[in-house]
Amino acid sequence: MRDAVVARLVETLSRHSILSKCYGTLPSDEASSAARLIETEAFSTAAASASVEDDDIEILQVYSRQISCKMLDTVKTRASSAAASSVVDAGTALQTPSLEAASVTATSEDNSPTVTES
């Protein structure tokens, strides 16, 4: 089961998906190591949070939430570091007309919808 989760994470991180539209894709080798780390950390967190009165569904929910959060953190961190390195690369190039575009791209990458409470 855990190997299937890792395989699905690798697929999600390395192929085109809704997630990749916002944050890009990872190379297969990077996606594989990130997926293993995400799954291991999520499993450890879920195991540590389990108590005697918890049922399997509650533990699975913690595991699933941790995978989602860690996957998002991974792609967001990678996207922001990639944007920062592209700004640095653009600044050191002989021709730098893309520096302003890279700056605009870096600031517009967070397209999160605003949630309002009613």
Side-chain angles (χ1 to χ4, degrees), residues 11 22 44 50 59 63 85 101 110 114 116:
E11 185 177 311
C22 293
S44 296
I59 296 167
Y63 177 69
S85 72
D110 185 49
T114 305
T116 56

Side-chain angles (χ1 to χ4, degrees), residues 17 25 32 45 53 59 63 84:
S17 65
T25 58
S32 180
T45 301
E53 55 273 350
I59 296 167
Y63 177 69

Side-chain angles (χ1 to χ4, degrees), residues 53-115:
E53 55 273 350
D54 286 342
D55 63 7
D56 292 339
I57 298 298
E58 291 172 10
I59 296 167
L60 184 59
Q61 287 174 338
V62 170
Y63 177 69
S64 297
R65 272 193 306 270
Q66 288 297 312
I67 286 175
S68 296
C69 290
K70 290 177 186 311
M71 181 175 55
L72 280 173
D73 288 345
T74 298
V75 296
K76 284 180 179 181
T77 300
R78 186 178 185 284
S80 65
S81 65
S85 72
S86 70
V87 169
V88 169
D89 290 345
T92 58
L94 292 175
Q95 296 178 344
T96 58
S98 62
L99 180 59
E100 184 179 31
S103 176
V104 170
T105 302
T107 58
S108 66
E109 280 191 359
D110 185 49
N111 295 331
S112 306
T114 305
V115 177

Side-chain angles (χ1 to χ4, degrees), residues 6 9-11 13-15 25-37 74 78:
V6 170
L9 278 169
V10 170
E11 185 177 311
L13 294 170
S14 64
R15 295 193 180 155
T25 58
L26 277 67
S28 293
D29 57 334
E30 189 176 338
S32 180
S33 56
R36 292 203 181 283
L37 182 63
T74 298
R78 186 178 185 284

